Amino acid sequence: MTPMELLKIVGEVLDRVGCERFTTGSVASMIYGEPRYTNDVDVVVRMNEAQARRVAEAFTGQDWYCSEDAAIGAVQHRSMFNIIHAPSGFKVDVMVASMSPHNASRFARCRLLTMADGRVERIASPEDVILKKLQFFNEGGGLKHSRDIASVVAMQGAHAIDWEYMQRWAEELGVTEGVRALKLEMLPPNAD
């Protein structure tokens, strides 16, 4: 099982139970940037308790672990729960979105990308991937986040990044300095 195969399986269940979703995190940064190893998939969802129960029920048996209590708790507290594929050790972090304006913007700005197997996945925009990676880096995250950020900007092209969008959300997300420094590094003031 690869992370992309896991995304397909979990994504099909989330779609079947009617959860609006998008993929973010390391999988999104690899899609927009350079490949690297990851053992998890990050999915942001809009989900209610009934949907959480159905998702947990779909991932039972010896190959899967998903706590129904954790899934319902994530809906109630707008937090996260896991779906784990036991044989591979890969997991999906299912993040139940709060109703914040930034999350509304993230859902609205998703890109629809066709995967190698022909299915279409909703992927967080490059700017939203960068903003969340900056948050994780500020919270003490490792160098992988800064490498992912640099990779996304380099592969997408600094001029293709919507810097105004990122600056608009930077203060609310606590990454103003990170966005400013990234912009100066990747798009110097005298650059054409």
Side-chain angles (χ1 to χ4, degrees), residues 68-155:
E68 182 176 309
D69 289 341
I72 292 169
V75 170
Q76 294 169 343
H77 302 290
R78 298 294 186 244
S79 59
M80 179 185 78
F81 69 98
N82 300 118
I83 299 170
I84 300 170
H85 180 249
S88 68
F90 289 150
K91 69 181 173 92
V92 176
D93 293 333
V94 181
M95 295 166 271
V96 180
S98 68
M99 303 313 256
S100 73
H102 183 242
N103 277 334
S105 177
R106 291 169 74 199
F107 272 97
R109 296 182 85 247
C110 285
R111 293 191 180 177
L112 300 177
L113 299 178
T114 303
M115 301 290 107
D117 63 4
R119 79 183 188 287
V120 175
E121 285 288 340
R122 289 174 51 96
I123 309 295
S125 73
E127 294 82 7
D128 286 316
V129 171
I130 292 167
L131 286 167
K132 293 309 270 184
K133 290 279 182 181
L134 283 169
Q135 277 188 297
F136 292 134
F137 183 77
N138 281 357
E139 294 168 1
L143 290 176
K144 67 180 179 179
H145 296 301
S146 60
R147 283 193 301 266
D148 286 348
I149 291 165
S151 172
V152 170
V153 175
M155 297 298 285

